[in-house]
Amino acid sequence: MTPDLSLAHLTMIHVPPPELVAIAGRCGYRFVGLRLTEVTGGDAFPLIGDRNLLRATLAEMKASGVGVLDVELVRLCPETKVEELAPMLETAATLGAKHVLTQGHDPNWRRLTANYAALCDLAASYDLTADVEFLTWTEMCGVAEAQALIEGAGRGNAGLMIDTLHFSRSQCRLEELDAVPAHLFHYIQISDAAGAIPKSTKGLIRTAREDRLMPGEGDLDLRGIISHLPGIPIAVEIPNARLAATMSDEARARKAYEATCRLVEPACLAANVDTLQEKR
């Protein structure tokens, strides 16, 4: 059985939330991921504070049966004031989201750990987890660094979110996943990529934001990664500028859904069950 699939907002970041939910429903996704805060200028819709947009999104969710898996993005920077994130987390809770995607962008380890712990505490009050994503071009660049942050915070609603592109570009090993307690994995993000790892930060970021491939079209060991994780929801995050110029949003969403379903074989899911039993 294929795990629950979620259509990540970055796959078509220009699409308003109600329309994204509608597309996801027509293509078979059970969830969407929604971007509530900007990463680069203008790349988020004002769900926080825009009651009409929030109502329209909730109405489409009810009509389509599509839920919200996660919201993004909390970037823990030196200047971050965790208490100011309350409106975002309240909106996430109103949407029925389960997880908050979180990144560490602070070289001061003690401050970063304290802020992450505080975020977890605040998120817990909204029944949300705070799931750490590592990025190849930052100091928080791999499984080991993200796991150390989670262990340092010591919070029960902490999580580790594996993005298959960043995992592969950071040259993480599959065995590292086996050393992570299974309960820390709540969902993953999937995409493929071709060719050698870009040597520049600019190249890494360009691939991540506009040149990801459908599962099975690139060179990443996606089945290997999935086989070392529990059977958790899969967020399909495949921004691709070339495809966006030649295909409709719905056609791309459907192609991504079908490609992911083909990739996730029963054998992989059986391996997940065996792995979990051994780890417990």
Side-chain angles (χ1 to χ4, degrees):
M1 184 176 67
T2 302
D4 293 329
L5 301 187
S6 176
L7 179 59
H9 211 159
L10 188 59
T11 300
M12 44 193 67
I13 196 65
H14 61 282
V15 174
E19 184 180 346
L20 185 77
V21 172
I23 289 173
R26 292 194 294 268
C27 293
Y29 294 88
R30 183 175 178 187
F31 298 107
V32 296
L34 294 176
R35 179 165 289 187
L36 300 188
T37 60
E38 293 184 354
V39 176
T40 59
D43 66 349
F45 290 88
L47 274 170
I48 304 172
D50 187 332
R51 294 182 179 274
N52 290 332
L53 182 60
L54 183 59
R55 277 196 294 267
T57 303
L58 290 168
E60 188 57 50
M61 290 169 60
K62 183 177 180 179
S64 64
V66 172
V68 175
L69 179 66
D70 69 301
V71 298
E72 57 180 50
L73 174 68
V74 170
R75 303 173 86 244
L76 294 175
C77 302
E79 66 275 13
T80 297
K81 293 179 174 58
V82 171
E83 64 274 12
E84 294 179 356
L85 297 171
M88 175 193 182
L89 300 181
E90 182 178 357
T91 302
T94 300
L95 290 163
K98 302 173 184 296
H99 316 296
V100 180
L101 188 64
T102 306
Q103 296 173 355
H105 294 269
D106 189 346
N108 184 315
W109 186 258
R110 179 173 293 184
R111 180 174 56 206
L112 175 60
T113 303
N115 277 337
Y116 179 57
L119 172 64
C120 287
D121 291 341
L122 184 59
S125 67
Y126 294 98
D127 200 24
L128 294 159
T129 67
D131 296 75
V132 178
E133 176 186 36
F134 56 86
L135 302 171
T136 308
W137 57 88
T138 68
E139 292 184 13
M140 183 70 60
C141 61
V143 173
E145 292 81 3
Q147 189 174 2
L149 177 61
I150 291 167
E151 291 176 351
R155 296 301 193 267
N157 64 328
L160 173 57
M161 202 291 297
I162 299 297
D163 179 311
T164 59
L165 178 68
H166 301 319
F167 181 90
S168 302
R169 291 304 198 225
S170 292
Q171 298 182 284
C172 297
R173 296 175 292 105
L174 295 176
E175 293 75 19
E176 293 181 73
L177 299 176
D178 298 333
V180 178
H183 71 270
L184 292 179
F185 295 119
H186 301 130
Y187 71 109
I188 66 171
Q189 291 177 343
I190 194 169
S191 63
D192 214 334
I197 300 173
K199 298 185 182 299
S200 68
T201 296
K202 182 178 179 180
L204 290 166
I205 293 175
R206 188 189 69 80
T207 299
R209 292 183 178 173
E210 60 181 76
D211 198 24
R212 300 191 189 211
L213 301 181
M214 301 287 172
E217 293 184 353
D219 304 314
L220 307 187
D221 183 14
L222 301 182
R223 285 198 174 101
I225 295 171
I226 291 172
S227 71
H228 284 257
L229 294 171
I232 50 181
I234 297 176
V236 178
E237 185 176 76
I238 311 175
N240 185 297
R242 290 176 290 108
L243 285 182
T246 59
M247 297 178 68
S248 70
D249 295 325
E250 186 163 334
R252 286 192 296 128
R254 181 167 285 108
K255 182 177 180 179
Y257 180 89
E258 293 171 351
T260 305
C261 287
R262 285 194 298 271
L263 179 86
V264 185
E265 298 174 343
C268 290
L269 300 183
N272 290 342
V273 173
D274 293 340
T275 299
L276 277 177
Q277 289 175 344
E278 291 173 3
K279 291 172 76 170
R280 288 171 180 167

